Amino acid sequence: RSEPSRRLLGGRARDGCAAMSSDSMPSDAPPAARVAETVLKVTDLKKHFPIHRGVLSRVVAHVQAVDGVSFEIRRGETLCLVGESGCGKSTVAKSITRLETPTAGKIELNGVDITHLEGEPLRLQRRQMQMVFQDPYSSLNPRLSAGAIVAEPLTNFDIANGTELDARVAELFQHVGLRPESIAKFPHEFSGGQRQRLGIARALAVNPRLIIADEPVSALDVSVQAQVLNLLIDLQEQFQLAYLFV
């Protein structure tokens, strides 16, 4: 395992997942203090997909993609969800972000139950969690400039506009190691590692407390993987982010 991976995921193991906390609460801390630090708590999460057959498309069975997953992540902590291909890791991530509706279980984000939220309340909660996707190219809109891609969540949540928006975008580019003059470029003009940095900048734009990273370096060259992992470590230490690595 590379040094960045050891730093990011080399902490204590919990339920088969490796985790590290950059500011872990001491074990004798008051319960109220520990609860206050919990960013994400998943309890007995289940997601079953129906199998339809026949002319009337009747449900004849269910695929149990996720069946009884429970864990929690505190501020500044990294938790890695590990399993073979097709075991439901990405379905867990999509269920947490409510891109998939859970069949059963409970998802709490910063103490708020988001399991059954819909509409505007769910949209507002999504500001607290963002995703970094596996493919750094297909996750970016090729018709938008790099600056517009990073600015999009800021305008969607009415966080900034005008000169304030431009300054915030330039600041995010600096945070992820991209030059401000790259703001006008388009995704195809960046390397794979730079595109992933762009995706990370977009995820950071709304100041989330939780970032869900779905195999964020698997599509990159080995030499670039270490750079992106080191960037994620530095950002976690700077902003006390909670990470869920898939």
Side-chain angles (χ1 to χ4, degrees):
R1 180 180 291 177
S2 64
E3 178 59 27
S5 295
R6 282 195 296 269
R7 290 176 59 197
L8 190 61
L9 304 173
R12 65 188 183 278
R14 299 190 324 188
D15 298 329
C17 296
M20 179 202 71
S21 175
S22 60
D23 67 336
S24 297
M25 299 284 292
S27 58
D28 58 349
R34 295 179 65 86
V35 172
E37 289 293 314
T38 299
V39 176
L40 175 68
K41 184 176 181 180
V42 177
T43 306
D44 199 24
L45 179 65
K46 298 180 181 180
K47 177 59 182 178
H48 301 168
F49 293 97
I51 299 175
H52 298 273
R53 287 182 183 172
V55 177
L56 299 178
S57 190
R58 293 176 177 173
V59 177
V60 296
H62 288 84
V63 175
Q64 299 181 1
V66 178
D67 195 38
V69 173
S70 299
F71 59 84
E72 68 177 58
I73 311 175
R74 294 188 294 272
R75 184 184 178 197
E77 186 177 65
T78 299
L79 187 140
C80 183
L81 193 60
V82 181
E84 65 271 16
S85 179
C87 72
K89 304 185 301 296
S90 294
T91 303
V92 170
K94 291 178 180 178
S95 297
I96 292 171
T97 55
R98 291 296 315 282
L99 297 177
E100 294 282 359
T101 302
T103 303
K106 188 175 183 180
I107 303 169
E108 296 175 81
L109 183 66
N110 299 319
V112 178
D113 186 353
I114 65 169
T115 314
H116 304 292
L117 284 184
E118 299 290 346
E120 185 65 12
L122 177 59
R123 189 184 80 89
L124 294 177
Q125 287 299 321
R126 279 186 174 145
R127 178 178 173 178
Q128 300 298 320
M129 56 179 174
Q130 293 291 306
M131 285 194 71
V132 177
F133 297 94
Q134 178 179 358
D135 189 340
Y137 187 72
S138 63
S139 63
L140 304 175
N141 189 334
R143 297 188 178 185
L144 294 181
S145 67
I149 288 172
V150 176
E152 188 173 18
L154 294 169
T155 55
N156 286 345
F157 285 99
D158 297 322
I159 296 174
N161 53 60
T163 56
E164 183 184 359
L165 177 63
D166 295 337
R168 176 61 177 158
V169 170
E171 180 185 12
L172 287 164
F173 268 62
Q174 292 179 340
H175 279 316
V176 299
L178 293 175
R179 296 180 179 179
E181 53 265 30
S182 301
I183 289 176
K185 292 183 178 180
F186 287 82
H188 71 272
E189 299 179 80
F190 292 91
S191 67
Q194 289 175 326
R195 290 175 195 148
Q196 197 61 295
R197 289 172 183 265
L198 191 58
I200 294 170
R202 177 179 59 185
L204 289 173
V206 293
N207 295 319
R209 298 193 65 190
L210 170 69
I211 288 183
I212 300 173
D214 188 358
E215 300 188 39
V217 297
S218 63
L220 305 178
D221 293 337
V222 175
S223 59
V224 181
Q225 289 179 2
Q227 297 174 15
V228 174
L229 286 174
N230 281 324
L231 171 63
L232 289 169
I233 293 168
D234 293 339
L235 292 172
Q236 184 179 51
E237 293 174 350
Q238 183 176 358
F239 299 110
Q240 291 298 291
L241 297 166
Y243 287 154
L244 173 61
F245 267 64
V246 177

